Structure formats: structure tokens, C-alpha cells
């Protein structure tokens, strides 16, 4: 599991730029922002600082002084799912948003400016899975990677992978690498020959209270210890730690129900 970042070069200030189409940011909208900060701060060691307030109160999570993720507060009158949302990099978010519409997706928010940080849109694919598009300005995206507490992978859980892969491939230029197996519907999306995300078709095995959705994996040093912390902090263990080709993996939810995965990578 790896993310394609930096291969597009650097910006005028020498910071890494994300390849268009690469997951570059992840954000969570919640009802109780302070309590959510306490949960993730204790779990991952994140610190927080104020971010753009284009959609209401918002903070950026930092690890060792580098940006890792964002969190915002949902308006009290909006009963929206509490879920982690990955953002894909774009050089022209308005053009990307138009391509999303033409390919059968939906643009629910934006495109709009997030102060001087950049420009964004929040969209959904034809199956209904929500994702964001980010055109960087002052804020390039995730600045820390490959260490505990950072996003390590993004995986779409959907009904079947083939049709939705065509959507993402057309919009973002991904190449597909399917897993050849009679038992699993899975393919990996690649940019410049590097894997950036996975699509997992699970048919009717999707959670009853949640349709197709993106799942973010966060790196941890010890999966079993992290699960103990999740439970102790008021979260929920949905799938206990298990071995995978990439390491030891578990699926959990925070106290508000936002699902995410933990991965103890093999290095």
C-alpha cells in the first residue's frame, strides 16, 4: 500500500505536490468536534490547529507538526452520515467536477474556495460513495506519511468493482490492476505505475446502515494495542485484527460511528 505523492514535482515554495488523482487529504465531519479531537488525539497522538471555516468550525490534525487530516463540525440541522472522506488531487477542480457530472457522478458541494488553502468539491460516484476533490493553493494536503497515526491507504467498499472503476478511471486517469481470483472482487487503482487506492466489490455484504463508501486505513505500530485504545476511548471494534497480505488489519468505529481501519504494516 502506497500513495502517489510528489511525482508531479514541487510547488514554488519547494513543497511536494500530489499527482492529480492521488489521494491527498482525508476529512471527517462530526457533531461533537471537541470530543472527536480528544478521541483521535489520544489514539494517534494528533495535535490540532484551526483550519479554513468555509463549511463551519474546522481544525487540522497534525503529527510532529505536519498535516495529517481535517475535522469539521456538522451543522446541527443537517443529519448527514459521520464518515471519513478522502480527497483526490486535481489541478483544476472545476473541470474535474464537470467530468464527474458527465460520468454519472454528483457534485454535492462546490466547487468553492477554502479561504487561501485551496479549492474543493465534495462529490459522490454513481453508486453513492462520497469523496472530495482538492485543488491545492497554500495547503498541499497530507504532509506526513509512513508513520503511525498517518493515512496509509484508501479503499472503496461497493457493490461491484468493474463499473465504478470505469467512472474513477475516466475522471482521474487511473489504470486498473484486478486481483485474479474467483473468490474476491478487488482491483487496485494505479497512477504512474504506483497503487493509490483499492476498489472492493462486496455485493450484499455492505453494512445495512451504510451503502457504498470509502474506508481510510491509518498506520499503527501495534494493531492489538491500538484496538485496546479504541475500546478504552469509547470507540467500537467492528472486525478484530487479522492477517492480510499487507500486514495486520482491523476495522473500527469512533464514538460517533465513523468507520476506519487500522493497519500494522509489514516493513
Amino acid at each position: 500500500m502506497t500513495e502517489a505523492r510528489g511525482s508531479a514535482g514541487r510547488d514554488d515554495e519547494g513543497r511536494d505536490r500530489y499527482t492529480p488523482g492521488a489521494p491527498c487529504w482525508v476529512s471527517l465531519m462530526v457533531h461533537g468536534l471537541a470530543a472527536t479531537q480528544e478521541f483521535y488525539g489520544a489514539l494517534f497522538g494528533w495535535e490540532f490547529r484551526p483550519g479554513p471555516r468555509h463549511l463551519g468550525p474546522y481544525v487540522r490534525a497534525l503529527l510532529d507538526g505536519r498535516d495529517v487530516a481535517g475535522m469539521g463540525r456538522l451543522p446541527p440541522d443537517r443529519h448527514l452520515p459521520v464518515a471519513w472522506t478522502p480527497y483526490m488531487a486535481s489541478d483544476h477542480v472545476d473541470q474535474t467536477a464537470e467530468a464527474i457530472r458527465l460520468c454519472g457522478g454528483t457534485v454535492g458541494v462546490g466547487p468553492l474556495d477554502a479561504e487561501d488553502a485551496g479549492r474543493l468539491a465534495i462529490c459522490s460516484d454513481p453508486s453513492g460513495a462520497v469523496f472530495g476533490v482538492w485543488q491545492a493553493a497554500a495547503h498541499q494536503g497530507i504532509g506526513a506519511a509512513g508513520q503511525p497515526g498517518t493515512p496509509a491507504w484508501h479503499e472503496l467498499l461497493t457493490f461491484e468493482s468493474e463499473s465504478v472503476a470505469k467512472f474513477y478511471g475516466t475522471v482521474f486517469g487511473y489504470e486498473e490492476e484486478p486481483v485474479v481470483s474467483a473468490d474476491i472482487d478487488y482491483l487496485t487503482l494505479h497512477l504512474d505505475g504506483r497503487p493509490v487506492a483499492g476498489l472492493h466489490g462486496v455485493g450484499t455484504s455492505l453494512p445495512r446502515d451504510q451503502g457504498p463508501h470509502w474506508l481510510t486505513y491509518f498506520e499503527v505500530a501495534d494493531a492489538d494495542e491500538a484496538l485496546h485504545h479504541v475500546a478504552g476511548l469509547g470507540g467500537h471494534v467492528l472486525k478484530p485484527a487479522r492477517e492480510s497480505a499487507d500486514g495486520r488489519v482491523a476495522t473500527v468505529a469512533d464514538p460517533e460511528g465513523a468507520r476506519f481501519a487500522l493497519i500494522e504494516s509489514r516493513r
Side-chain angles (χ1 to χ4, degrees), residues 237-249:
V237 177
L238 304 179
K239 292 183 180 180
R242 62 200 182 277
E243 295 297 330
S244 75
D246 297 290
R248 196 160 170 76
V249 175

Side-chain angles (χ1 to χ4, degrees), residues 21-206:
C24 63
W25 189 241
V26 63
S27 188
L28 175 66
M29 300 297 288
V30 298
H31 299 287
L33 185 56
T36 300
Q37 288 177 244
E38 291 180 7
F39 173 83
Y40 286 98
L43 180 61
F44 293 136
W46 291 351
E47 298 179 344
F48 300 91
R49 69 181 179 193
R53 299 174 66 89
H54 54 290
L55 297 177
Y58 191 86
V59 296
R60 288 184 186 150
L62 290 82
L63 189 64
D64 297 330
R66 304 181 72 181
D67 289 327
V68 175
M71 293 180 185
R73 190 172 69 204
L74 286 166
D77 58 339
R78 298 292 296 276
H79 300 287
L80 299 173
V82 176
W84 281 101
T85 302
Y87 283 69
M88 315 307 183
S90 172
D91 286 339
H92 305 284
V93 67
D94 293 79
Q95 293 179 14
T96 302
E98 183 59 24
I100 288 167
R101 294 188 186 97
L102 291 173
C103 291
T106 301
V107 179
V109 177
L112 55 83
D113 291 325
E115 299 177 359
D116 63 349
R119 188 164 173 79
L120 68 87
I122 300 175
C123 313
S124 58
D125 67 28
S127 73
V130 176
F131 65 95
V133 182
W134 180 253
Q135 179 181 333
H139 175 60
Q140 294 295 315
I142 297 171
Q147 64 190 91
T150 63
W153 187 245
H154 301 279
E155 183 176 274
L156 174 63
L157 301 178
T158 188
F159 297 113
E160 55 85 25
S161 66
E162 184 176 358
S163 61
V164 76
K166 293 179 181 178
F167 166 82
Y168 286 101
T170 302
V171 172
F172 294 110
Y174 299 132
E175 297 178 351
E176 303 171 19
E177 182 178 300
V179 172
V180 181
S181 171
D183 301 321
I184 186 171
D185 175 12
Y186 196 97
L187 61 82
T188 305
L189 302 177
H190 289 246
L191 282 175
D192 300 331
R194 301 170 63 185
V196 296
L199 304 185
H200 190 184
V202 297
T204 58
S205 297
L206 284 167

